[in-house]
């Protein structure tokens, strides 16, 4: 496993943006995985949406990806 670089205040703004963008993509992927797991156990879309802070239609879109 590769070690992640540590963000310091001396890093350029472009480096900071790139690192935070990667973290956001990773967090979204983990959220989507958890949403799929909830749905696989039969949880309704609206309940998943409430847990995720999203609408049931947004949950449906995530499940189709």
């Amino acid at each position: 496993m590769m070690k992640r670089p540590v963000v310091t205040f001396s890093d350029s703004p472009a480096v900071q943006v790139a690192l935070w963008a990667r973290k956001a993509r990773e967090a979204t992927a983990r959220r989507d995985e958890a949403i799929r797991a909830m749905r696989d156990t039969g949880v309704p879309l609206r309940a998943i949406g409430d847990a995720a802070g999203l609408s049931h239609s947004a949950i449906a879109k995530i499940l189709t990806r």
Side-chain angles (χ1 to χ4, degrees):
M1 185 163 95
M2 294 179 51
K3 289 191 175 190
R4 295 182 182 173
V6 176
V7 178
T8 65
F9 288 105
S10 63
D11 287 334
S12 74
V15 170
Q16 290 182 23
V17 167
L19 290 173
W20 284 114
R22 188 189 77 230
K23 286 183 176 280
R25 285 189 303 273
E26 290 172 358
T28 299
R30 288 180 181 174
R31 180 204 64 191
D32 293 354
E33 183 179 320
I35 286 170
R36 286 186 195 91
M38 288 180 75
R39 188 61 175 166
D40 288 346
T41 62
V43 179
L45 294 181
R46 290 183 191 274
I48 298 170
D50 289 343
L54 299 169
S55 68
H56 70 282
S57 58
I59 297 301
K61 288 179 185 177
I62 289 167
L63 293 171
T64 60
R65 290 189 222 151

